[in-house]
Amino acid sequence: MTPRWCLLPWRLLGGSRLDREIRVGLCGCGVIGEGLVTALLQHADVITERVGAPVRLAAVADKDPARLDIVRAQDERIALVDDAFELAQRDDVDVVVELIGGVEVADRLVRAALGAKKHVVTANKALLAERGAALFALAEANGCDLYFEAAVAGAIPVIRVVRESLASDHILSVRGIINGTSNYILSSMANEGAAFADALKAAQEAGFAEADPTLDITGGDSGHKLAILAGLAFGARVLPGEIPTEGIEQVDPRDIQYARNFGYVIRPLAIAERLEGGALDLRVHPALVPEGDPLAHVDGALNAVAIQGEMVGPSFLSGLGAGAGPTATSVAGDIIDIAKNSLAGAPVRTWNFPSKNDQEIQEIADLSSRYYLRFSVRDDSGVLAALSGKLGDSGISIEQMVQHVDAGDEGTASIAMLTHHAREGDVRDSLHAVDATDLTTAPTHLIRIVE
Amino acid sequence: MTPRWCLLPWRLLGGSRLDREIRVGLCGCGVIGEGLVTALLQHADVITERVGAPVRLAAVADKDPARLDIVRAQDERIALVDDAFELAQRDDVDVVVELIGGVEVADRLVRAALGAKKHVVTANKALLAERGAALFALAEANGCDLYFEAAVAGAIPVIRVVRESLASDHILSVRGIINGTSNYILSSMANEGAAFADALKAAQEAGFAEADPTLDITGGDSGHKLAILAGLAFGARVLPGEIPTEGIEQVDPRDIQYARNFGYVIRPLAIAERLEGGALDLRVHPALVPEGDPLAHVDGALNAVAIQGEMVGPSFLSGLGAGAGPTATSVAGDIIDIAKNSLAGAPVRTWNFPSKNDQEIQEIADLSSRYYLRFSVRDDSGVLAALSGKLGDSGISIEQMVQHVDAGDEGTASIAMLTHHAREGDVRDSLHAVDATDLTTAPTHLIRIVE
């Protein structure tokens, strides 16, 4: 055990905790930044009570003077600067909050703050997924904390739960809905029967999708978050580029309807699972989830994470994945943790980010899964038999199959099918062969089933 | 900020963290204790990695030699003693885990351990609900940590989430299914149409209910947990005796069926909510929950907690509420937290248990709620009209009403009813008046609706 006498100095100095304060510097005062300003100012009472000392917003940096004006109007004692790098060096700041986003500038800013011996809180998933290992090494070398709860799944405390609550367990799998935009779009397609493009447009108008939604709908954002989550859960560094990733753009309203007929809901999932041989099964894609699964009930902009541990069994967390209030609450929780560490005289209390990138990741072709398939076929007798025959020849075993006549498309039909477990490479090869015949009138659509 | 030089001593001593170890002493080796032994021995690799130093099970105390034999068979280096108080004083123990249960002896044991400057982890909800404030004061005075995640909702990390993740937010309400036995019994009544007594017997045979299930089925166990949870969420000391508490014994299979017809599921809830005037609405009782509510999907022995925060919005956690593996994982998570505190030279990092018992709690008669009512009536024409008239006279407004002819009971019928919002005292008075007439053949049954 650490000798306890090292606690004595500041206690002997005679100061109660309330003589001290933790001073926060915020870089980037957009939607989440503004939420954090509100949280720190309006909830100062409860924060002081829970920390045992005041947490004071000392400085805010933003390039946009209008944003600084909004802060000034709330508390004129806050120092306002236009340069985040200047803020990161200020003597009156103990904790730097990085909310500027992006990778390159944020990376330099976090390095500057750590170099100046400031603790750092960031919500930047791309930065951590790409550069996390180096930043954590720098934080430790400088005796500083680096916290990032808000980087994954907004308000859901999944980082804390994986690192602390489940720290003794062998984690078997992590499955999450960790992109609210994708879930909002698929939910509104399901509820209103809208096509993808229309649902996306409505999501943008409702403020649930960015003007450029690429990173969300292609699965890139989920990939960043999964890289962080898998790293913590399995103790291995994973880079986003190593994760097989598919977006939700190919999901058709018919898929949602046919899946529902089979008793499934389509959700945008991120999955990390330890396989028996030790490799990781990592993937981001839309998936059919059974109606009874807790993830099937996670609707709209909600996020959720289901964790399976060897001893703990099933654990499920849900909450809002984005937005000013939820994300700012996660950032503020990190600030409070750092404040408690600092008051107790013990920064760098948390274990570090995994740095070894030596983890074997399963090729997606080697995945064993059940699949939902949608074939576009000529509405002829004999097509069904020919199709089943071809699949059977390749060893693909059909569990359920329904033929739907396509409304509006004279002479064509859709065949929706659920397969038994099969190797994905074999299924793809088989579909390739089928699509090369004249049985199908368009490329066959495949969605994985996760149960 | 705390001067950082107080961190230097042990770093300057040159020891890496791996030169140190945290030594655990376990008091009480029943089902959960055995689970903890398994976790600490079999997951030693992952725990060492996450703590940065080994966590070693140094000693186990139990009065039953057979239990100690089981431990000896797993690792003969563990010291085995029959006296928990002797263990609490051992020089080779840094953290004492109290799993003996009960209040009086556990209280003395925890005091002895804290007095000997040991950190303590306990899963004892009754002890904390009754004596928590005094024990936390003693822990702080001795410079020791006192952790208790496993005391509430088993594997669900609700203590950590409320104290850390949501520490900046104003919590508005906490609603939970925090007694697995009650939920298991109500679930099997719903799934199999069994009567309460039969479902209880089946739960005992399946190991989901104790031989003496009183504390579970009467709501007492949930009351202990809610007292702890409400204290943390609202910063006020609450004693279990102050919480209006009803068990599940009065729930009839007909209630479950009629509720389902109205679109509700009956769940055993524990509720803590801040009312506008500042008083707390605290209660434990079976309740009708709308089918679409996440709590409605929490089936069997699962526990769940739904938290609503001012900024964070809705937050939902579920997992196994009892059992060796889940509970031991929560205990081990606490041990790991203490180990990290100690290695960083900073015990007593967490804020304390609320000690002021000055919180106003709403009288249950003043509750404003919707209600499910089941009247047992003579199967006569005119009864329905007379009944509605009587309720209307007392200002109770009926939202939906269905008459069911009771199978087997010739000449009687049940009327199931949902009311609009009403003050509970008024509803009770009105039912009292109705039950004094010859309209009803048995006392009318009331279950609150929570939505």
Side-chain angles (χ1 to χ4, degrees), chain A residues 230 234-238 242 273-275 277-282 356-362:
Chain A
F234 300 108
R237 187 173 180 210
V238 172
E242 298 174 307
E273 205 160 327
R274 170 86 69 194
L275 299 169
L280 290 186
D281 171 16
L282 298 176
K356 269 199 228 162
N357 181 222
D358 57 357
Q359 174 63 51
E360 188 194 340
I361 295 168
Q362 175 180 259

Side-chain angles (χ1 to χ4, degrees), chain A residues 10-11 46 96 103 112 115 166 175 193 197 223 240 244 250-252 260 289 291 302 378 412 442-443:
Chain A
W10 81 258
R11 295 212 159 187
V46 69
V96 172
V103 173
L166 305 182
R175 291 172 177 182
Q250 302 304 321
V251 177
D252 189 282
R260 189 186 290 148
V289 177
E291 271 169 4
L302 280 176
R378 289 179 282 107
T412 68

